[in-house]
Amino acid sequence: MTTGVGAFLETNPLRAGLTRERAAGPCSVVIFGASGDLTRRKLVPALYNLHLDRLLPAGFALVGVARRPLSDSAFAGAIRDGIVRHSRRPLDLDLWKEMAPRISYVPATFEDAEGYRRLADHLARLDRERGTGGSRLFYLATPPSAYPTIVKNLALAGLSRPGAGGSFARVVVEKPFGRDLATARTLNAEVNAAFDERDVFRIDHYLGKETVQNLMVFRFGNAIFEPLWGREHVDHVQIAVAETLGVEGRGEYFEEAGIVRDIVQNHMFQLLCLTAMEPPVSLRPDAIRDEKVKVLRALRPVPAERALEESVRGRYGAGASGGSPVPAYLEEPGVAPGSRTETYAALRVLVDNWRWAGVPFYLRAGKRLPKRVTEIALTFRHVPHRLFAGAGASPNANTLALRIQPDEGITLRFDSKVPGPEPRIQPVAMDFRYGTSFGQEPPEAYERLLLDAILGDSTLFIRRDEVEASWGWIDAIEAGWAASDAAPAAYPAGSWGPAESDALIERDGRSWRRL
Ligand code: BG6
């Protein structure tokens, strides 16, 4: 008999249909940058959890490629360690015994043509010995500067085409995908010279989050919200990505990026697209991606000379995080003394189309804020005639907040009469929580995305034109900032960002939501 949580899961009608039926065909997954952080923290635990859910094919092999000389068993040991430390579910020894023999390692530098020939031979051998069927997924988990070299060498070694009997050769490219429009275009050209666009999977892990995918279901699977979703009813939209983390030893990378390149251009713009897009005609990958690109093309360009009016950049000083003192950004290892890099940004974005004309989208993202919260909130217009103004009706209008993480859920706030003879009114909330309704932790984003890439489903990956359209908008903001001598506005670590950010939204008679 199943008891407790197990029984709840089996009997909870909301869980019906949650089991995934998709199973992948045989293939090898080759990770370039196999000794890196991303591999250990995200990719390996994701593959293990897919294996645990029996979603990997019987003919499967994982091949690591990196510079360091390592034996297959030493690499498998590192993978095991990654699973033990970072998997959401503990390592099961029987499953590990099945997985370990499928792991191998090819030491090679990314420039070394001979290394790719060895890789090609190795993959052909796996096809024979492990039944991987000639299909390959190459995952670029390296510094971005290595991407062009790797894709070029893969093509030269004949690896951008499937092996004998195989059905695909695909490449997964991690962000950052370029650092501006010009570099993104060059990189796109280099990648597309080696792989067809349909075989290029540009990853943005936010799209793998369950709550982000639910945005489409919420909007287009329910009849009641969509009629309210636009300028007639929505006053403005706020999107926030707040993190308590600092740059976590990635000072050098962050110096080159800043929060706008690190988070806004990709993760936040994806949230913006999914919030603002029109209903796609179908769930085909291109039908959805077409609609997202239309949103990006409708963003009102901000001329560089107006960037400082429409945006705020901030940088954390010393302060506290989780009750402990933390250093200023400028004191972090790898940060240049005269740095102008921002760790916080607030932007006012307008979407010039029929649905959103005149509705501002306020975006804010920051490191070392007081809480980790990602949220999209629509604030609705006030009623046209305030009958209850004298009864304490809140000055806040109705809001619909989609909590992407943590405490994933959706909350609708509205006014209600307080019981009793007095005509008193108070805001209350109608709440949906994933944890309560579905009784299970959502899988990690990388699980879904790796499986989709193996299956060849590009819906949750970024298309070439999408990447270019988003950089096009960001470039002007970056150019405006670069032209200014001013340092980013200061905020203490552990606060909600600089005062200038409050001023940006208050200028329009609105304020940031309390997160
Ligand atoms: C990454 C950024 O893409 O996303 C990090 O490079 C950031 O700086 C991270 O911390 C946030 O991801 P998540 O899933 O924790 O919200």
Side-chain angles (χ1 to χ4, degrees), residues 42 175 205-206 209 241 243 245 250 253-254 262-263 266-267 367 372 374 405:
K42 298 289 183 192
K175 68 169 265 273
H205 79 278
Y206 263 55
K209 292 183 192 270
V241 178
E243 293 185 279
L245 296 178
R250 297 193 305 160
Y253 155 75
F254 210 79
D262 186 46
I263 291 205
N266 35 72
H267 307 329
K367 299 269 181 200
R372 174 173 184 252
T374 300
Q405 63 189 21

